[in-house]
């Protein structure tokens, strides 16, 4: 992408060899996510030109000096929030908030502050330090998690963002307990993963909300016990399904301030509102302080599902292999790289739960 509010351009770039601490990965698949769309719309500010893509998986083809945690041929899932293991947040069990790599990741570079991509001799930036909308990617070793090889790479790719965020939001951010009631606002890849995470945790009532009937039907297949159309009556319907009080835990999975405000109303007194959708930079949400105080409602941000990628990526694939997570069903459609703009159109039009760019 050369500038915001333009279409993606498929072209050939120069990719340098991995430097010390880096890995060359042949990308097998990369999911199409709203976080990449935020680059297109300008909602996320980032250096340009940039190769987007952050929800990916592939096979290790070369190792830079000093890389001893991976080996040639490893199947890896990309981790777009790499952690150092020793900073303030890592030592307190929050590797998803690691402060060591924030600077270079948002600068669109490798951890040493330089890029490995060039176009006509000029630097091209890496989104999330990954740039997975490409046949090959050079990434920091901290951004790769080795996983079992018997899982299709298209499925593994989704674990790197949508699935980890959704399942983690339920298990770790909210800590949903057996028998609790859950509302999921927005049933894309993250929302459908939240539905599945709620079922895993034993939630008694799981209410899916979306404006697309097809997504509500998919949510039922993923474990939702009720489906509500997103309209003027949805708050009333949610309360009817939760004893008139509202839900124990409401997840907003879109990132729209107006929907976040509705989510607060859908939570019962003493309940939780989990903000799992990524809002546009600079946007604001009007949440009434008097209601929050008097009704003791809890509002939590959820970044990457509060996960530990090295622990949770393999765990999620174990749950998938055991038949406890439906990940194949999340992939509505596969696209070739040349169809990338078509893939984003399908996402924006609500035609897919998750579209995936597949390279092999």
């Amino acid at each position: 992408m050369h500038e915001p509010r333009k279409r993606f351009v498929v072209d050939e770039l120069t990719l340098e060899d991995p430097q010390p601490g880096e890995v060359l990965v042949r990308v097998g698949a990369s999911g199409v996510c709203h976080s990449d769309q935020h680059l297109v719309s300008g909602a996320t500010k980032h250096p340009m030109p940039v190769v987007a893509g952050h929800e990916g998986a592939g096979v290790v083809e070369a190792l830079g000096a000093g890389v001893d945690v991976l080996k040639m041929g490893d199947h890896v899932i990309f981790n777009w929030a790499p952690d150092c293991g020793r900073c303030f947040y890592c030592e307190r069990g929050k590797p998803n908030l690691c402060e060591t790599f924030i600077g270079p990741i948002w600068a669109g570079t490798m951890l040493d502050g330089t890029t490995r991509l060039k176009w006509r001799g000029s630097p091209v930036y890496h989104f999330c330090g990954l740039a997975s909308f490409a046949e090959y990617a050079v990434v920091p070793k901290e951004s790769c998690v080795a996983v079992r090889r018997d899982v299709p790479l298209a499925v593994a790719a989704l674990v790197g963002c949508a699935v980890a965020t959704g399942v983690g939001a339920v298990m770790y951010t909210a800590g949903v307990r057996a028998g609790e009631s859950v509302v999921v606002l927005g049933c894309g890849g993250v929302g459908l993963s939240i539905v599945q995470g709620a079922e895993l945790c034993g939630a008694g009532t799981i209410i899916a909300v979306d404006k697309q009937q097809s997504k509500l039907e998919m949510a039922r297949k993923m474990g939702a016990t009720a489906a509500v159309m997103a309209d003027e009556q949805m708050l009333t319907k949610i309360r009817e399904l939760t004893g008139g009080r509202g839900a124990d835990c409401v997840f907003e999975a879109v990132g729209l301030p107006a929907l976040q405000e509705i989510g607060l109303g859908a939570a019962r007194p003493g309940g939780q509102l989990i903000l799992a959708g990524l809002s546009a930079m600079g946007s604001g949400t009007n949440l009434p302080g008097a209601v929050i105080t008097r009704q003791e409602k809890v509002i939590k941000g959820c970044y990457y599902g509060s996960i530990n990628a090295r622990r949770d990526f393999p765990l999620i694939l174990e749950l998938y292999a055991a038949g406890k997570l439906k990940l194949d069903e999340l992939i509505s459609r596969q696209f070739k790289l040349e169809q990338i703009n078509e893939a984003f159109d399908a996402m924006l039009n609500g035609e897919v739960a998750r579209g995936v760019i597949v390279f092999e």
Side-chain angles (χ1 to χ4, degrees):
M1 178 178 300
H2 291 278
E3 57 183 300
R5 291 171 288 280
K6 300 290 185 180
R7 305 284 273 179
F8 285 102
V9 175
V10 179
D11 205 343
E12 186 171 305
L13 281 71
T14 300
L15 180 64
E16 297 175 353
D17 293 336
Q19 298 301 302
E22 298 173 358
V23 182
L24 173 67
V25 177
R26 174 170 51 84
V27 182
S30 187
V32 177
C33 178
H34 273 91
S35 296
D36 299 296
Q37 173 60 28
H38 286 333
L39 292 174
V40 180
S41 68
T44 293
K45 310 303 180 186
H46 194 280
M48 300 268 176
V50 60
V51 174
H54 66 285
E55 184 183 77
V59 180
V60 173
E61 292 222 337
L63 304 172
V67 178
D68 55 8
V69 295
L70 298 165
K71 59 183 182 298
M72 301 280 287
D74 275 351
H75 285 210
V76 295
I77 297 175
F78 290 144
N79 170 16
W80 51 258
D83 61 276
C84 69
R86 57 187 181 275
C87 72
F88 178 92
Y89 295 103
C90 287
E91 289 182 347
R92 285 158 179 78
K94 297 295 292 181
N96 61 310
L97 299 180
C98 175
E99 62 188 355
T100 301
F101 301 139
I102 289 176
I105 291 298
W106 278 106
T109 69
M110 295 291 97
L111 303 185
D112 66 359
T114 63
T115 70
R116 302 292 166 265
L117 290 166
K118 286 189 170 55
W119 181 72
R120 298 182 181 176
S122 298
V124 173
Y125 296 96
H126 311 242
F127 185 48
C128 292
L130 298 172
S132 61
F133 287 154
E135 295 172 316
Y136 289 88
V138 168
V139 302
K141 68 180 189 301
E142 292 88 352
S143 296
C144 289
V145 177
V147 295
R148 56 193 297 165
R149 301 187 187 190
D150 59 344
V151 174
L153 290 173
V155 169
L158 300 190
V159 174
C161 185
V163 177
T165 298
V167 173
V170 180
M171 296 176 66
Y172 303 126
T173 311
V176 169
R177 294 176 293 185
E180 289 191 326
S181 54
V182 166
V183 170
V184 183
L185 301 176
C187 293
V190 172
L192 292 173
S193 298
I194 292 172
V195 168
Q196 295 195 71
E199 185 179 43
L200 274 174
C201 289
T205 300
I206 305 172
I207 304 167
V209 181
D210 201 277
K211 60 184 180 181
Q212 298 279 344
Q213 187 61 44
S214 60
K215 290 188 177 180
L216 292 177
E217 292 170 2
M218 184 170 288
R220 283 190 177 276
K221 294 177 182 177
M222 297 290 180
T225 60
V228 172
M229 186 63 68
D231 57 25
E232 296 81 5
Q233 300 300 314
M234 65 189 208
L235 264 180
T236 299
K237 294 174 183 175
I238 289 169
R239 289 182 179 138
E240 288 174 353
L241 291 165
T242 54
R245 301 181 188 89
D248 294 306
C249 193
V250 177
F251 296 86
E252 199 279 344
V254 182
L256 292 177
L259 196 57
Q260 294 170 346
E261 293 163 16
I262 291 170
L264 185 70
R268 66 165 174 80
Q272 297 187 81
L273 169 62
I274 307 298
L275 305 181
L278 185 63
S279 300
M281 289 180 173
S283 63
T285 304
N286 182 24
L287 299 176
V291 172
I292 295 168
T293 301
R294 290 192 174 106
Q295 298 187 14
E296 290 194 348
K297 294 189 180 186
V298 177
I299 303 162
K300 286 186 180 181
C302 170
Y303 192 59
Y304 215 173
S306 306
I307 64 161
N308 179 326
R310 283 189 287 272
R311 176 195 66 197
D312 293 319
F313 287 0
L315 170 63
I316 288 170
L317 290 184
E318 290 296 326
L319 292 168
Y320 162 75
K324 296 181 179 180
L325 282 174
K326 301 179 180 70
L327 303 188
D328 298 281
E329 293 85 346
L330 282 177
I331 302 173
S332 303
R333 189 175 167 193
Q334 296 186 3
F335 300 85
K336 296 183 181 299
L337 183 61
E338 292 73 19
Q339 298 173 295
I340 190 165
N341 289 306
E342 181 183 340
F344 275 88
D345 289 343
M347 178 190 71
L348 293 173
N349 293 333
E351 299 171 15
V352 295
R354 207 59 158 189
V356 180
I357 304 295
V358 177
F359 295 91
E360 57 183 28

